[in-house]
Amino acid sequence: MSHDLPAWVAELTDPRRARTLDELADRLVPLAEHAIDVSRRLQAQLTELNDPFGREALHGRVDRLKARAGEALEEITGEIAASGDRRVERLWADRPGRDGPLDRARERELRRLLERDVVPVLSERGRETAERVAERTSRALEQATRTLLTRVEELAAAVTALVHDVLPLAREGLDLAGRISALSGSARRAGRGPVPAELAASAAEVARAFDEAVARLELEWAALGARSATVRAALRGAEENAFSHVTEEMTRCVQDLAPEHAKALNEAEERARALLAESPEG
């Protein structure tokens, strides 16, 4: 697909085709503005590329990881505590004699026995399990944070090198804009009339330099856009990988502790059934 502009565009904008000093001066101004614009866009992109590696961004990344790990841990510990509560409620619903009359005084007594002899045991077992999960989660979080920081540091070093390589190109565009503006000023000071040979040669040289420099800047700008997207994706990937490491360790810990926790629940259930069976209604 062709994207060539109409032929008259070059006739009205190319300083090499200027016939008078006024035309030359007028056509040089947009070139200087274009060089400044592309240079500033490139500098802005370099700043954007470097922003995720600032101190605040780094702290925010670590804080997000800790917050997400904390939320996941709360969910797991809440489920551990709820498992004991559900076991007690199920026992109460399935208690012997539940279909017969049970006065409120006796119901309160049975509830008191459960809360005295069973609930504390379940709570203690749940607390111990939750503490062990939290301990392993803390170790996993420390390791994940170290890995995350190491990866961010390595990526920051690569980005810093890239910025140092590209920044001179942006400055080159600004220097070129200065040359073009100076030439435009010389054309205006020269008065009116045809373009002298010396100014025509200077205009041809600066136009050639403009074409080459802007082509390099535009190409670098496009490449940086792709590189910026890759860097952002890498940072997101590093964060997600760190969080996955923590959640995977949580899952393994829960799986390791599940038999012991289930055994504690079963023992508490046996004790509760014995208490409920001792009631006259049982």
Side-chain angles (χ1 to χ4, degrees):
M1 181 181 295
S2 175
H3 296 286
D4 291 338
L5 298 176
W8 61 262
V9 173
E11 286 290 339
L12 298 181
T13 60
D14 189 345
R16 287 165 291 200
R17 302 189 184 188
R19 292 169 298 179
T20 66
L21 288 167
D22 284 341
E23 287 182 357
L24 176 61
D26 290 342
R27 295 179 185 191
L28 287 171
V29 171
L31 265 63
E33 293 175 346
H34 188 169
I36 291 172
D37 177 67
V38 71
S39 295
R40 287 179 175 172
R41 282 193 286 124
L42 190 57
Q43 287 180 325
Q45 201 167 36
L46 290 173
T47 300
E48 182 181 348
L49 183 63
N50 209 32
D51 281 345
F53 303 99
R55 183 177 298 275
E56 289 187 6
L58 183 61
H59 288 170
R61 193 164 286 111
V62 174
D63 289 343
R64 282 194 299 273
L65 175 60
K66 291 180 178 178
R68 293 176 68 186
E71 291 173 359
L73 181 60
E74 285 183 7
E75 183 176 347
I76 290 176
T77 54
E79 182 61 27
I80 291 172
S83 64
D85 296 338
R86 286 195 298 268
R87 187 67 67 96
V88 170
E89 291 305 317
R90 190 182 71 186
L91 286 169
W92 183 255
D94 296 340
R95 69 185 183 278
R98 63 187 181 279
D99 296 328
L102 183 65
D103 60 52
R104 292 186 177 180
R106 185 55 184 164
E107 181 178 350
R108 286 195 299 269
E109 176 62 15
L110 290 176
R111 286 280 189 181
R112 187 186 67 80
L113 291 174
L114 288 176
E115 292 176 0
R116 185 193 68 184
D117 297 343
V118 178
V119 172
V121 175
L122 288 173
S123 298
E124 178 64 17
R125 294 296 186 186
R127 184 188 63 79
E128 291 176 356
T129 301
E131 286 180 353
R132 292 170 68 179
V133 173
E135 182 180 356
R136 285 179 59 172
T137 298
S138 178
R139 291 199 298 268
L141 180 59
E142 290 179 4
Q143 181 179 350
T145 301
R146 286 195 299 269
T147 301
L148 174 61
L149 292 177
T150 298
R151 287 175 172 170
V152 171
E153 183 178 354
E154 292 174 352
L155 193 57
V159 167
T160 298
L162 176 63
V163 170
H164 287 167
D165 288 343
V166 175
L167 190 57
L169 293 177
R171 292 171 180 160
E172 177 186 346
L174 295 177
D175 292 340
L176 178 60
R179 287 175 54 195
I180 296 172
S181 296
L183 184 60
S184 177
S186 296
R188 293 198 185 283
R189 287 192 298 271
R192 297 179 180 277
V195 180
E198 183 179 353
L199 277 179
S202 297
E205 168 60 22
V206 85
R208 180 193 61 77
F210 169 84
D211 290 341
E212 294 177 356
V214 169
R216 288 196 301 272
L217 290 171
E218 293 284 4
L219 183 62
E220 198 63 49
W221 183 81
L224 272 180
R227 188 62 60 90
S228 296
T230 300
V231 168
R232 290 192 297 271
L235 289 172
R236 287 195 300 271
E239 284 193 51
E240 293 304 319
N241 182 264
F243 181 63
S244 294
H245 174 77
V246 176
T247 55
E248 286 170 5
E249 182 60 23
M250 286 181 180
T251 301
R252 283 193 294 268
C253 183
V254 170
Q255 291 173 344
D256 292 344
L257 297 176
E260 184 178 338
H261 185 62
K263 180 182 178 182
L265 291 178
N266 292 336
E267 291 174 351
E269 180 175 347
E270 291 177 3
R271 173 58 179 157
R273 290 189 183 281
L275 288 174
L276 294 174
E278 292 173 2
S279 68
E281 290 76 2

